[in-house]
Amino acid sequence: MNRTAALVPAAGRGERLGPGEPKALREISGVPILIYAVSVLASARSVDLVVVAAPPGDVESVSALLAQQSFSDKVSVVAGGDTRQESVARALIALPADVDVVLVHDAARPLVPVELVTAIVAAVRAGNPAVVPGLAVTDTIKEVNSDGDVLSTIDRNSLRAIQTPQGFDRELLQRAHAQLDESQGIFTDDAGLVEAMGITVKVIEGHIEAMKITRPFDLAIAETIIAKRRASGVIT
Ligand code: CTP
Ligand code: MG
């Protein structure tokens, strides 16, 4: 009863990272990105099971990789889709009936602290149907047109850069995925789907180490975070 599941969209190609294996299978300090992400979720006491949406051509190798890990009994693998939204939808379908809270966490955010995972679950269980981590924006953000001319400067105080894991009431997230498809807009996160249904999404304080690996430079930042953790005795 009342179990919490984490869905891990990991089926992207990582085009902005440059040529190579799918992003989730690239290594940071000798360990695949996906293993860091799944290990945090699987070791969180607030998470009961993890469903990974793997690149469709790599389901077997991802399953074999995860089967070698100490937390493998909590983890299952499905084939992801052509878009992130489809990958999440495919993982949602695989959930057992007794799951009532769902986290969605990008494989591309391998170094998320377990405390953030637990804080998101707690905020959903406290009665918020949708909860996301966010950080204040440090750059000045301007809206531009296709010629690169500035249209406006947006008040930075009201902006947040949104991370994952994002937490939801399971039934709400399922309804959002069933009702909205890509013809209704590009949804780059799951909270966007829920917002489109008119539901209020709660933002809690995110964490700088929940950064997303997008470009090669991000790999160097992640390596630095890992080196810092190892030096302070935190095993990753
Ligand atoms: N994702 C997914 N299925 C897709 C596309 C993306 O599961 N069809 C996942 C990625 O694996 C990643 C997360 O969604 O964990 C966030 O996407 P992004 O950072 O854009 O990763 P990629 O799509 O792999 O990168 P790029 O856009 O540079 O190709
Ligand atoms: Mg992408």
Side-chain angles (χ1 to χ4, degrees), residues 8-17 23-24 53 80-85 87-88 105-109 212-214:
V8 183
R13 285 206 292 269
E15 273 165 14
R16 288 168 290 179
L17 211 46
K23 180 156 70 181
D82 285 342
T83 63
R84 184 187 182 283
Q85 195 175 330
S87 295
V88 173
H105 180 63
D106 291 331
R109 298 182 186 272
K212 185 155 76 75
I213 309 283
T214 305

Short mmCIF file of all heavy atoms in Angstrom, two decimals, residues 8-17 23-24 53 80-85 87-88 105-109 212-214, ligand 1:
data_model
loop_
_atom_site.label_atom_id
_atom_site.label_comp_id
_atom_site.label_asym_id
_atom_site.label_seq_id
_atom_site.Cartn_x
_atom_site.Cartn_y
_atom_site.Cartn_z
N VAL A 8 12.73 7.02 -14.21
CA VAL A 8 13.98 7.64 -14.67
C VAL A 8 14.03 7.65 -16.19
O VAL A 8 14.38 6.65 -16.81
CB VAL A 8 15.21 6.89 -14.10
CG1 VAL A 8 16.50 7.59 -14.54
CG2 VAL A 8 15.15 6.80 -12.59
N PRO A 9 13.62 8.78 -16.81
CA PRO A 9 13.79 8.87 -18.26
C PRO A 9 15.28 8.91 -18.60
O PRO A 9 16.00 9.81 -18.17
CB PRO A 9 13.07 10.17 -18.65
CG PRO A 9 12.92 10.95 -17.38
CD PRO A 9 12.96 9.96 -16.24
N ALA A 10 15.72 7.90 -19.35
CA ALA A 10 17.15 7.74 -19.66
C ALA A 10 17.36 7.40 -21.12
O ALA A 10 18.41 6.87 -21.50
CB ALA A 10 17.75 6.65 -18.77
N ALA A 11 16.32 7.67 -21.94
CA ALA A 11 16.36 7.18 -23.32
C ALA A 11 16.90 8.21 -24.32
O ALA A 11 16.94 7.95 -25.52
CB ALA A 11 14.96 6.74 -23.75
N GLY A 12 17.34 9.36 -23.82
CA GLY A 12 17.83 10.40 -24.74
C GLY A 12 19.18 10.05 -25.35
O GLY A 12 19.92 9.23 -24.80
N ARG A 13 19.48 10.68 -26.45
CA ARG A 13 20.75 10.37 -27.13
C ARG A 13 21.91 11.22 -26.63
O ARG A 13 23.06 10.88 -26.80
CB ARG A 13 20.57 10.57 -28.64
CG ARG A 13 19.77 9.44 -29.27
CD ARG A 13 20.12 9.28 -30.73
NE ARG A 13 19.65 10.42 -31.49
CZ ARG A 13 18.45 10.48 -32.05
NH1 ARG A 13 17.64 9.45 -31.96
NH2 ARG A 13 18.07 11.53 -32.71
N GLY A 14 21.60 12.36 -26.03
CA GLY A 14 22.68 13.21 -25.55
C GLY A 14 23.39 13.91 -26.69
O GLY A 14 24.62 14.02 -26.70
N GLU A 15 22.61 14.43 -27.63
CA GLU A 15 23.22 15.06 -28.82
C GLU A 15 24.09 16.26 -28.47
O GLU A 15 25.13 16.47 -29.07
CB GLU A 15 22.13 15.43 -29.83
CG GLU A 15 21.85 14.25 -30.72
CD GLU A 15 20.57 14.36 -31.52
OE1 GLU A 15 20.02 15.47 -31.59
OE2 GLU A 15 20.16 13.33 -32.06
N ARG A 16 23.67 17.02 -27.46
CA ARG A 16 24.46 18.21 -27.11
C ARG A 16 25.76 17.84 -26.39
O ARG A 16 26.64 18.68 -26.23
CB ARG A 16 23.61 19.16 -26.24
CG ARG A 16 22.53 19.86 -27.05
CD ARG A 16 21.53 20.56 -26.17
NE ARG A 16 20.68 19.62 -25.44
CZ ARG A 16 19.73 19.96 -24.59
NH1 ARG A 16 19.51 21.24 -24.32
NH2 ARG A 16 18.99 19.03 -23.99
N LEU A 17 25.88 16.59 -26.00
CA LEU A 17 27.12 16.13 -25.37
C LEU A 17 28.15 15.75 -26.44
O LEU A 17 29.33 15.55 -26.13
CB LEU A 17 26.81 14.92 -24.48
CG LEU A 17 27.61 14.65 -23.22
CD1 LEU A 17 27.82 15.90 -22.40
CD2 LEU A 17 26.91 13.57 -22.40
N LYS A 23 23.58 9.35 -23.64
CA LYS A 23 24.10 10.10 -22.48
C LYS A 23 24.09 9.29 -21.18
O LYS A 23 25.05 9.34 -20.41
CB LYS A 23 23.29 11.39 -22.33
CG LYS A 23 23.71 12.25 -21.17
CD LYS A 23 23.34 13.70 -21.36
CE LYS A 23 21.87 13.99 -21.28
NZ LYS A 23 21.57 15.41 -21.51
N ALA A 24 23.01 8.54 -20.93
CA ALA A 24 22.89 7.82 -19.66
C ALA A 24 23.99 6.79 -19.47
O ALA A 24 24.28 6.37 -18.35
CB ALA A 24 21.51 7.16 -19.56
N ALA A 53 13.53 4.15 -18.04
CA ALA A 53 13.17 4.10 -19.47
C ALA A 53 14.48 4.21 -20.25
O ALA A 53 15.08 5.29 -20.35
CB ALA A 53 12.22 5.23 -19.82
N GLY A 80 12.32 3.18 -23.61
CA GLY A 80 11.87 4.57 -23.70
C GLY A 80 11.31 4.87 -25.09
O GLY A 80 11.25 3.98 -25.96
N GLY A 81 10.91 6.13 -25.31
CA GLY A 81 10.31 6.51 -26.58
C GLY A 81 11.11 7.59 -27.29
O GLY A 81 12.24 7.88 -26.91
N ASP A 82 10.49 8.20 -28.30
CA ASP A 82 11.17 9.20 -29.13
C ASP A 82 11.33 10.55 -28.44
O ASP A 82 12.17 11.35 -28.83
CB ASP A 82 10.38 9.44 -30.42
CG ASP A 82 10.55 8.29 -31.39
OD1 ASP A 82 11.52 7.51 -31.21
OD2 ASP A 82 9.71 8.17 -32.30
N THR A 83 10.49 10.81 -27.46
CA THR A 83 10.59 12.06 -26.70
C THR A 83 10.64 11.73 -25.22
O THR A 83 10.24 10.63 -24.80
CB THR A 83 9.37 12.97 -26.93
OG1 THR A 83 8.20 12.28 -26.45
CG2 THR A 83 9.18 13.31 -28.40
N ARG A 84 11.09 12.71 -24.42
CA ARG A 84 11.11 12.51 -22.97
C ARG A 84 9.72 12.17 -22.45
O ARG A 84 9.54 11.28 -21.63
CB ARG A 84 11.67 13.77 -22.29
CG ARG A 84 11.82 13.64 -20.79
CD ARG A 84 12.22 14.96 -20.15
NE ARG A 84 12.41 14.84 -18.72
CZ ARG A 84 11.41 14.77 -17.84
NH1 ARG A 84 10.15 14.82 -18.25
NH2 ARG A 84 11.68 14.65 -16.55
N GLN A 85 8.73 12.92 -22.96
CA GLN A 85 7.36 12.72 -22.51
C GLN A 85 6.90 11.28 -22.74
O GLN A 85 6.27 10.65 -21.90
CB GLN A 85 6.45 13.70 -23.26
CG GLN A 85 5.08 13.87 -22.66
CD GLN A 85 4.30 14.96 -23.39
OE1 GLN A 85 4.89 15.91 -23.91
NE2 GLN A 85 3.00 14.83 -23.44
N SER A 87 8.87 8.68 -23.07
CA SER A 87 9.65 7.78 -22.20
C SER A 87 9.01 7.71 -20.81
O SER A 87 8.88 6.63 -20.23
CB SER A 87 11.10 8.27 -22.09
OG SER A 87 11.75 8.17 -23.34
N VAL A 88 8.59 8.88 -20.28
CA VAL A 88 7.94 8.90 -18.97
C VAL A 88 6.62 8.13 -19.03
O VAL A 88 6.31 7.33 -18.14
CB VAL A 88 7.72 10.34 -18.47
CG1 VAL A 88 6.90 10.36 -17.19
CG2 VAL A 88 9.06 11.05 -18.26
N HIS A 105 12.64 11.55 -12.41
CA HIS A 105 13.99 12.09 -12.25
C HIS A 105 14.83 11.81 -13.49
O HIS A 105 15.01 10.65 -13.89
CB HIS A 105 14.66 11.50 -11.02
CG HIS A 105 16.06 12.03 -10.81
ND1 HIS A 105 16.31 13.37 -10.56
CD2 HIS A 105 17.27 11.44 -10.87
CE1 HIS A 105 17.62 13.56 -10.46
NE2 HIS A 105 18.23 12.40 -10.65
N ASP A 106 15.38 12.87 -14.09
CA ASP A 106 16.24 12.72 -15.26
C ASP A 106 17.49 11.93 -14.94
O ASP A 106 18.22 12.27 -13.99
CB ASP A 106 16.71 14.11 -15.75
CG ASP A 106 15.61 14.94 -16.34
OD1 ASP A 106 14.65 14.37 -16.89
OD2 ASP A 106 15.73 16.18 -16.27
N ALA A 107 17.77 10.91 -15.76
CA ALA A 107 19.05 10.21 -15.62
C ALA A 107 20.20 11.19 -15.75
O ALA A 107 21.28 11.00 -15.18
CB ALA A 107 19.16 9.13 -16.69
N ALA A 108 19.96 12.28 -16.48
CA ALA A 108 21.00 13.27 -16.75
C ALA A 108 21.34 14.14 -15.54
O ALA A 108 22.15 15.06 -15.64
CB ALA A 108 20.57 14.15 -17.92
N ARG A 109 20.69 13.86 -14.38
CA ARG A 109 21.02 14.58 -13.13
C ARG A 109 21.56 13.56 -12.12
O ARG A 109 20.90 13.22 -11.13
CB ARG A 109 19.78 15.30 -12.57
CG ARG A 109 19.23 16.36 -13.52
CD ARG A 109 18.03 17.09 -12.90
NE ARG A 109 17.43 17.99 -13.86
CZ ARG A 109 17.82 19.25 -14.05
NH1 ARG A 109 18.79 19.77 -13.32
NH2 ARG A 109 17.22 20.01 -14.96
N LYS A 212 22.05 19.40 -14.33
CA LYS A 212 21.86 18.47 -15.46
C LYS A 212 23.10 18.42 -16.33
O LYS A 212 23.66 19.46 -16.66
CB LYS A 212 20.65 18.89 -16.28
CG LYS A 212 20.34 17.87 -17.40
CD LYS A 212 18.88 17.90 -17.82
CE LYS A 212 18.55 19.09 -18.67
NZ LYS A 212 19.06 18.93 -20.06
N ILE A 213 23.48 17.22 -16.71
CA ILE A 213 24.56 17.04 -17.68
C ILE A 213 23.96 17.27 -19.07
O ILE A 213 23.12 16.49 -19.53
CB ILE A 213 25.15 15.61 -17.63
CG1 ILE A 213 25.53 15.20 -16.21
CG2 ILE A 213 26.29 15.46 -18.63
CD1 ILE A 213 26.80 15.77 -15.69
N THR A 214 24.35 18.35 -19.70
CA THR A 214 23.84 18.64 -21.04
C THR A 214 25.00 18.75 -22.03
O THR A 214 24.99 18.09 -23.07
CB THR A 214 23.04 19.96 -21.04
OG1 THR A 214 22.01 19.88 -20.06
CG2 THR A 214 22.39 20.21 -22.40
N1 CTP B 1 14.99 11.47 -22.41
C1 CTP B 1 14.28 10.28 -22.57
N2 CTP B 1 13.75 9.97 -23.80
C2 CTP B 1 13.92 10.79 -24.85
C3 CTP B 1 14.65 12.02 -24.70
C4 CTP B 1 15.16 12.34 -23.45
O1 CTP B 1 14.13 9.51 -21.62
N3 CTP B 1 13.42 10.44 -26.02
C5 CTP B 1 15.61 11.74 -21.09
C6 CTP B 1 17.13 11.88 -21.19
O2 CTP B 1 17.72 10.58 -21.20
C7 CTP B 1 17.46 12.70 -19.97
C8 CTP B 1 16.20 13.54 -19.75
O3 CTP B 1 15.18 12.98 -20.58
O4 CTP B 1 17.72 11.91 -18.82
C9 CTP B 1 16.44 15.02 -20.03
O5 CTP B 1 16.69 15.20 -21.43
P1 CTP B 1 17.97 15.89 -22.06
O6 CTP B 1 18.83 16.46 -21.02
O7 CTP B 1 17.48 16.72 -23.19
O8 CTP B 1 18.77 14.60 -22.61
P2 CTP B 1 18.97 14.13 -24.11
O9 CTP B 1 17.70 14.25 -24.85
O10 CTP B 1 19.63 12.80 -24.04
O11 CTP B 1 20.05 15.20 -24.62
P3 CTP B 1 20.03 16.05 -26.01
O12 CTP B 1 18.73 16.84 -25.96
O13 CTP B 1 21.25 16.89 -25.95
O14 CTP B 1 20.04 15.02 -27.12
#
